Amino acid sequence: MWESVFQAIDDQYENMVRTRRYLHKHPEVSFHETETASFIADTYERLGIPYQKGVGGNGIVATLAGGKPGKKVALRADFDALPIQEENEVDYKSTNDGAMHACGHDGHTAALLGLAEALLPFQDQLPGTVIFVHQHAEELVPGGAKAMINTGALDDVDAVFGTHLWASTPLGVIQTSKGPFMAGADSFTIKIQGKGGHGAQPHLTKDALVIASQLVSSLQQVVSRKVDPLKTAVLTVGTFESGQTFNIIADTATLTGTVRTFDPEVQELIIEEMEKTIKGACLGAGADYTFDYEKGYPPVDNHAAQAELILKDATKADSSLRTEEVDPSMAGEDFAYYLQKKPGAFYFTGAQIPGHAYPHHHPKFDFDERALPHAAKTLVQAYRSFQEQHD
């Protein structure tokens, strides 16, 4: 049967591409994906696969019960877009100003819908149950995963798997790790209140821009001088806003950024040391400040046994694939919440376009659509391997 399933997935390729391009042309940002959710629900309605919509918000969960006994395995795809103006000149360019599928979620959705359609003719032969989890709002904290989990959607699931089309990994390469795979992703905002004045009279001011400039440099020492070098952490200042014109000393300054960690103790250390650094810089200059730190998604920590299934068995789905066990990525993902709830693993499906060197979240991001059946095949192979492991 399985060779026929994999062939059926290959036969879905053109359909997956059409679905992906339709979704790409009609992106919706996190927590506003109503039309996308309707499109997904309409697909399951057409296929006659039972589904529930409005799960934890805009989420959709569809269920394909096999004709043979077995485990319940959830396969997850996210479907939100980003608030980015697309710069690609392609037939499927976004038609929604200020919104773009710049991370591949359109492809995740197309692959999972194509997989559902490919599996349907084999329903009576399938062991256990496949749960298709279509998740909204991955890109924006608090995300959609936690809300979907809180509805009980995964309560009776035995394992959960997910993949991310990865534009920096060559086509045909499947990557994961047996343990920490993606970092916890936090954000922060620092607002400095100084005392503005004339650019010719700096002695009468408390220059918020200068204080903030010092902080950008000083904060880099939090990781380099406070965190154990054998531990992994990133602290990035991403935006700096201050000043109005060339001859006015800034009254205020705002810095925003992100912190990435794998260890909760390292996370708490960084928060504490940031507070000390900010307080010292501002009080020494006679300025006031606010420091808002938002803990985001926890680290994606794969369960070793399930990650091993990906590494060992993905090539059974397609002999052209190869697997790699890789070091963790500092990118974040709310798939982490599923892995806190159930055994499972997350992995990257290579989707690099040769010569197209634009990363995820870039206005010219795109991926090789030939990766769509790779994603679908490896997801169903993970389901198959888990069933066989517990047979």
Side-chain angles (χ1 to χ4, degrees):
M1 175 192 71
W2 290 108
E3 288 305 315
S4 297
V5 168
F6 297 138
Q7 182 59 56
I9 292 171
D10 282 334
D11 293 343
Q12 282 289 320
Y13 174 66
E14 291 185 2
N15 184 38
M16 289 182 190
V17 170
R18 281 193 299 270
T19 297
R20 181 261 165 153
R21 294 186 178 189
Y22 172 81
L23 294 172
H24 194 91
K25 288 182 70 173
H26 303 91
E28 295 177 299
V29 298
S30 305
F31 298 105
H32 297 277
E33 318 94 335
T34 54
E35 294 301 318
T36 308
S38 293
F39 176 87
I40 295 167
D42 289 347
T43 301
Y44 285 110
E45 186 74 31
R46 173 178 61 81
L47 295 174
I49 296 176
Y51 66 93
Q52 181 182 358
K53 60 183 180 179
V55 181
N58 290 325
I60 294 169
V61 176
T63 303
L64 187 65
K68 297 181 178 180
K71 300 293 185 178
K72 285 189 176 182
V73 177
L75 306 176
R76 175 268 206 169
D78 41 16
F79 59 83
D80 56 324
L82 284 154
I84 293 174
Q85 185 69 37
E86 181 163 14
E87 295 179 5
N88 287 313
E89 294 302 327
V90 291
D91 292 342
Y92 48 92
K93 182 177 180 178
S94 170
T95 57
N96 293 347
D97 285 345
M100 177 191 174
H101 274 293
C103 202
H105 297 188
D106 49 344
H108 302 165
T109 303
L112 197 60
L113 290 174
L115 174 57
E117 188 160 355
L119 282 178
L120 187 57
F122 304 95
Q123 182 173 3
D124 291 344
Q125 303 173 60
L126 294 176
T129 302
V130 187
I131 308 293
F132 302 98
V133 179
H134 292 270
Q135 184 208 305
H136 60 298
E138 185 277 329
E139 296 287 3
L140 185 63
V141 174
K146 200 169 186 179
M148 293 188 73
I149 291 167
N150 288 342
T151 68
L154 268 71
D155 283 357
D156 61 349
V157 164
D158 296 298
V160 58
F161 295 93
T163 190
H164 202 304
L165 295 168
W166 211 243
S168 58
T169 297
L171 183 72
V173 178
I174 306 299
Q175 298 175 325
T176 193
S177 65
K178 292 180 283 188
F181 183 51
M182 301 180 76
D186 302 341
S187 62
F188 63 83
T189 301
I190 304 164
K191 294 183 178 179
I192 299 165
Q193 181 62 59
K195 180 182 177 183
H198 199 291
Q201 297 176 310
H203 60 295
L204 300 180
T205 71
K206 298 171 183 177
D207 193 334
L209 190 152
V210 169
I211 298 166
S213 298
Q214 293 172 339
L215 268 179
V216 172
S217 296
S218 298
L219 287 172
Q220 305 310 308
Q221 297 178 39
V222 170
V223 171
S224 67
R225 289 297 177 267
K226 298 298 182 180
V227 176
D228 184 338
L230 298 179
K231 302 290 179 69
T232 302
V234 170
L235 191 164
T236 295
V237 177
T239 69
F240 186 135
E241 296 180 2
S242 186
Q244 294 177 318
T245 191
F246 78 100
N247 62 348
I248 297 175
I249 288 175
D251 189 57
T252 63
T254 301
L255 305 176
T256 68
T258 185
V259 172
R260 306 296 170 107
T261 57
F262 291 97
D263 186 331
E265 291 184 3
V266 172
Q267 180 190 48
E268 292 301 327
L269 173 66
I270 288 176
I271 297 170
E272 179 182 340
E273 293 297 332
M274 287 183 70
E275 181 81 49
K276 289 179 183 178
T277 301
I278 298 163
K279 183 177 181 179
C282 290
L283 293 187
D288 295 322
Y289 73 92
T290 60
F291 174 41
D292 295 317
Y293 190 100
E294 183 176 16
K295 293 182 179 179
Y297 304 149
V300 175
D301 194 0
N302 282 336
H303 296 250
Q306 282 68 55
E308 178 64 24
L309 294 180
I310 302 297
L311 292 166
K312 180 172 64 74
D313 291 347
T315 55
K316 293 180 180 178
D318 190 322
S319 61
S320 70
L321 301 177
R322 63 183 176 90
T323 63
E324 294 179 348
E325 187 169 3
V326 293
D327 292 330
S329 165
M330 299 310 290
E333 241 283 355
D334 73 349
F335 194 86
Y337 292 119
Y338 298 109
L339 296 177
Q340 289 182 340
K341 179 78 173 176
K342 296 291 180 178
F346 195 63
Y347 62 96
F348 295 154
T349 296
Q352 186 180 63
I353 300 174
H356 190 85
Y358 297 102
H360 293 255
H361 295 209
H362 190 280
K364 290 187 177 180
F365 169 84
D366 207 346
F367 66 84
D368 192 324
E369 292 172 330
R370 291 176 294 174
L372 294 171
H374 294 169
K377 287 179 181 180
T378 50
L379 282 171
V380 78
Q381 178 61 47
Y383 151 82
R384 173 194 179 186
S385 295
F386 187 81
Q387 299 289 354
E388 292 173 349
Q389 186 183 57
H390 293 83
D391 194 4

